[in-house]
Amino acid sequence: MHLVGMVNPPTSQYAENWRNPLGRADWLRASFYTDLGRTLERGLFDMIFFADALAVPEAADGSYDTTLLTGGKGSIYLDPIATISLVAGATSRIGLGATLSTSFVPPYTIARQLLTVDHLSGGRAAWNIVTSTTDAEARNMGRESIANPVDRYDVADRVVGTVRDLWRSWNPDGLVLDRDGRRFADPAKVHRVPAREGEDPLSRGPLTLPPSPQGHPVLMQAGSSSRGRDFAARWAEVIFAIGDSEEQMRDFRTEVHERAARDHGRDKNSIRVLQGMQPIVGWTDADAAEKLARLRSQISLEDALVKLGRLLHAAEPLDPRAAAVEVLAAHRGATGSVGFEDMLASVSARRRYTVADLAIEQSMNQLHPQFVGSAESVADQLEHLFRSGAADGFIVMPALYHSSFEEFVDGVVPELQRRGIFRTRYAGDTLREHLRE
């Protein structure tokens, strides 16, 4: 089983994280991130990765007041490259993932920044590939609006292809370092980016860096729309998936494996599909249930409705008694993410949510699967999904920083190890080696 920790304070998936007295609030200090990295490395996680967006989320009228007043997701984002560089110096084995947008960051910059971290960390870097989704991000980057999803993925294909070409612009033996022969590098083994017919090059290369200890950073992506799934099948080594049921999880994993083999000639065993989940771990099942109840009690329905209205770009207050599927249908396209909106609609329909139900669940866990119980009970659920072929592992999204991660590492990880389905030590030094175990 593979485990990845997702970090995006001040909220993570639980909207009241920043208000909870058990949560750390020093997320503008280096120690917040170095402590997290060390905790997850102690738990032998494959990777820690940092989410990112390029704007404070806005309402329909362009206001960011709701996000900032409520401490909503996206109100704070540190630069992920700087953050993983910090964690790299405080750890020695855990993988380090940074989110970078193909819509706004030039391929050469992406390639050089990530390969730099990959070298400095000894081969532990990963790129969480996103296309960005909102007009607010576009305006911050000097554009009037975000492109449509299909065009964004078309651009992303070109950007990722160019980044990979840049990472390969040096042969593995291109850096010679022949002191006596006075030859630093072999120019014949350093190349420009190959030309593609009918396309203007996004970069000509070569990169100013040779290959890293793992060759190049690992590619990670979360795409749940049809176009997103094809993109993941073409490029991703780690896929961040969200399934509302065991059947959905298994169907998704099977589909991307089939697409990867059929359409792109890839070995499905080179792809790790990890399902997002929020663990609520207690000493006993009853203790965990009480913990969940306390977390839910901190959520105000009034605030949750305001946040949901901002997410859906609703011009008027939402009716809490209305059917969630109808309200979601009326605000299609508001988030900019087809896959995310498909998930909201699917879950709301299956669970017959009202708008009030949807607002509370969105504030609690963003409708991600939630595993509640003792360490043994949570391990039971993870083991079942893993052994049934629904997932190669999990993206762990904490309710609270850092206690949710600490409870998982101290309770669930030893239980998974006892069952023989999780490592007891890192077998290799690089992230790609961790993922191949």
Side-chain angles (χ1 to χ4, degrees):
M1 184 183 296
H2 298 275
L3 295 174
V4 169
M6 179 178 175
V7 179
N8 59 333
T11 64
S12 187
Q13 311 306 307
Y14 175 53
E16 305 303 321
N17 188 327
W18 69 273
R19 294 181 56 238
N20 194 290
L22 297 179
R24 280 180 58 169
D26 57 334
W27 21 262
L28 294 178
R29 300 293 299 273
S31 58
F32 182 94
Y33 301 97
T34 55
D35 288 351
L36 268 182
R38 293 187 188 106
T39 294
L40 296 183
E41 186 169 74
R42 177 166 60 84
L44 302 175
F45 272 49
D46 294 67
M47 174 169 55
I48 180 174
F49 93 92
F50 296 90
D52 191 33
L54 298 170
V56 177
E58 297 178 353
D61 62 359
S63 166
Y64 44 73
D65 293 10
T66 296
T67 301
L68 294 183
L69 283 170
T70 62
K73 182 178 178 182
S75 54
I76 297 288
Y77 276 120
L78 278 72
D79 180 86
I81 291 292
T83 309
I84 64 170
S85 300
L86 175 75
V87 177
T91 57
S92 61
R93 306 295 283 280
I94 191 168
L96 309 155
T99 300
L100 291 170
S101 173
T102 56
S103 294
F104 302 117
V105 186
Y108 193 90
T109 300
I110 293 171
R112 188 170 69 158
Q113 286 183 328
L114 286 166
L115 193 57
T116 295
V117 176
D118 212 27
H119 275 288
L120 298 179
S121 66
R124 296 188 283 140
W127 175 19
N128 180 42
I129 306 166
V130 299
T131 64
S132 299
T133 59
T134 68
D135 289 341
E137 292 175 279
R139 287 189 285 267
N140 275 351
M141 305 307 288
R143 303 183 193 177
E144 291 186 5
S145 61
I146 196 77
N148 68 65
V150 172
D151 289 344
R152 294 201 305 265
Y153 273 117
D154 288 346
V155 169
D157 278 326
R158 292 191 63 202
V159 169
V160 175
T162 302
V163 169
R164 281 166 53 94
D165 286 339
L166 287 165
W167 283 338
R168 296 170 176 173
S169 60
W170 287 63
N171 290 4
D173 57 350
L175 186 61
V176 178
L177 297 180
D178 178 0
R179 295 178 179 176
D180 294 335
R182 303 178 67 83
R183 295 176 70 246
F184 177 79
D186 185 349
K189 296 180 178 180
V190 181
H191 316 283
R192 302 280 189 197
V193 170
R196 289 184 171 83
E197 185 176 353
E199 291 185 359
D200 293 329
L202 298 180
S203 176
R204 68 173 191 164
L207 199 60
T208 56
L209 289 167
S212 67
Q214 65 173 349
H216 59 79
V218 167
L219 300 182
M220 175 179 174
Q221 195 259 351
S224 54
S225 67
S226 179
R227 183 65 177 88
R229 294 181 189 205
D230 185 67
F231 183 89
R234 180 178 183 183
W235 300 111
E237 297 168 77
V238 177
I239 298 175
F240 178 2
I242 302 172
D244 184 45
S245 67
E246 178 184 339
E247 182 179 14
Q248 281 188 0
M249 293 179 186
R250 188 179 299 108
D251 288 349
F252 177 89
R253 181 171 178 264
T254 299
E255 181 188 345
V256 294
H257 279 169
E258 290 176 350
R259 287 193 190 213
R262 180 189 67 237
D263 300 335
H264 305 290
R266 298 183 63 196
D267 177 5
K268 68 179 183 180
N269 294 318
S270 68
I271 302 170
R272 298 288 179 256
V273 179
L274 309 184
Q275 291 289 340
M277 54 82 78
Q278 183 188 68
I280 308 294
V281 183
W283 290 105
T284 64
D285 289 350
D287 177 50
E290 291 176 7
K291 184 179 294 185
L292 175 59
R294 289 194 297 271
L295 292 171
R296 292 179 70 89
S297 70
Q298 198 170 10
I299 299 172
S300 158
L301 176 58
E302 181 180 1
D303 286 351
L305 288 168
V306 169
K307 293 173 186 176
L308 181 61
R310 196 280 306 158
L311 178 70
L312 298 180
H313 285 190
E316 302 293 334
L318 298 175
D319 179 359
R321 297 164 297 180
V325 289
E326 295 177 4
V327 172
L328 289 169
H331 295 88
R332 263 291 185 173
T335 71
S337 173
V338 174
F340 176 62
E341 293 181 8
D342 286 345
M343 183 271 291
L344 293 180
S346 173
V347 175
S348 295
R350 190 174 71 82
R351 300 181 187 176
R352 299 182 180 179
Y353 275 167
T354 64
V355 167
D357 296 329
L358 175 60
I360 292 295
E361 289 304 307
Q362 175 69 12
S363 289
M364 181 66 227
N365 54 42
Q366 294 193 341
L367 277 67
H368 291 83
Q370 190 177 61
F371 298 156
V372 183
S374 66
E376 293 81 4
S377 294
V378 172
D380 284 342
Q381 297 171 77
L382 300 180
E383 180 179 14
H384 173 74
L385 293 172
F386 174 67
R387 291 194 184 278
S388 69
D392 297 303
F394 301 91
I395 307 285
V396 182
M397 299 175 290
L400 299 174
Y401 294 110
H402 295 20
S403 58
S404 294
F405 277 137
E406 291 165 347
E407 290 159 354
F408 191 93
V409 165
D410 293 335
V412 178
V413 166
E415 186 63 25
L416 297 173
Q417 291 170 329
R418 186 183 67 79
R419 301 174 188 209
I421 54 174
F422 190 65
R423 64 173 65 90
T424 56
R425 62 181 180 85
Y426 289 113
D429 295 316
T430 70
L431 174 56
R432 192 165 279 110
E433 286 175 315
H434 303 341
L435 294 169
R436 288 174 177 168
E437 289 180 28

